[in-house]
Amino acid sequence: MPARGSTKVKLELNEQQILEKYIPGISLLNEEDKEKALGACSSLNIYQINAGKQKIRGKGQDYFSIHEPCRTRTSICDFADLLSYDTPHWQYQNHHFASGNEVDKERSEELADAMDVPKYYSTAPEEFISQYNGDWAGLFIENTFYYASLYSAVHFILNAIEKTVFSWIEQRYPYRIQMNSYLCQENTLREPLYRVEFTTNNQTNNDCAHDARMAYRNFENSLRPKLNQYLNTQTPATYIIYGTDYNGNPTVDLICKNDNTLALIRPARFIEDFMPKTQSPEYLDFLSRKHTKQATDRLLDLGF
């Protein structure tokens, strides 16, 4: 087995070759000029560079990898399934969240180390809620490189609800510049003369919007475990939503319905396991609309 240091050097050399292919002479530049050269690259070349790097950094049939700095440095493809990769991360996050300001440092270090060692989890722990919340990933689908976001359905739905509810709050308590008009008292003309003022003094709106968002957070915290439990009573399913980024490069949202789904998808054979379980994402839209209505009704009941 090659030493980790030599493997890292080989990766860096291979990536340097990819950069040279699209930006000739970049290896001769200092770090500042390299950054400038990359910044001057076209979006197509950046996409091609990232696609080349993905085939070096990614593993498995689809060259799959996660690019989240808070997760383990060990490749996701070294884990048996998505559940086994996510569980130790949840344990670490849950320890810190539950401990508040009195974190057990020794236990924290143990949990951090456990994330780097692949271990098989046949079932999810009690109270487990997947941490896949738009995790940045990369992979190839039918020989095309995609910028991917990996979600559990509970987070995908909650994000959709939040976006709609926050838009609703902003419409009720706008932050934008307001226009006020009033009749001039000193007017001596026959026709009424109005004066217009623009103001950004919306402190009342700011306070109301803040309170409404806090009230929504309370609703969300109550909904999250209930929604997670509800989804876990259903059969495994996946959802895939294709799109493009602002440069026109291909993107994809990859969504797993529940814990049983996570346990059935092997990162090393991601697309092979993911695609046969794919269903219409309209079901996610239905749940999002349903709970958005509940959220706005709750805010109205509270006087917002």
Side-chain angles (χ1 to χ4, degrees), residues 2 52 70 80 104 136 138 145 183 189 194 249 275 285:
C70 61
D104 183 334
W136 294 348
F145 171 60
L183 183 63
L189 301 176
Y194 288 89
N249 299 314
M275 287 303 193
D285 294 336

Side-chain angles (χ1 to χ4, degrees), residues 183-245:
L183 183 63
C184 293
Q185 298 296 328
E186 67 275 12
N187 179 34
T188 58
L189 301 176
R190 292 184 179 180
E191 296 296 328
L193 179 64
Y194 288 89
R195 180 170 294 173
V196 176
E197 286 185 347
F198 293 91
T199 176
T200 58
N201 184 17
N202 299 324
Q203 190 58 46
T204 300
N205 278 1
N206 289 346
D207 292 342
C208 288
H210 174 267
D211 292 344
R213 286 193 294 268
M214 293 302 294
Y216 169 74
R217 288 301 180 204
N218 292 332
F219 171 86
E220 181 187 64
N221 291 336
S222 174
L223 174 62
R224 184 182 294 106
K226 295 176 184 176
L227 179 59
N228 189 64
Q229 184 178 21
Y230 173 72
L231 291 168
N232 279 330
T233 63
Q234 301 179 23
T235 56
T238 60
Y239 309 92
I240 187 166
I241 302 174
Y242 293 99
T244 56
D245 64 12

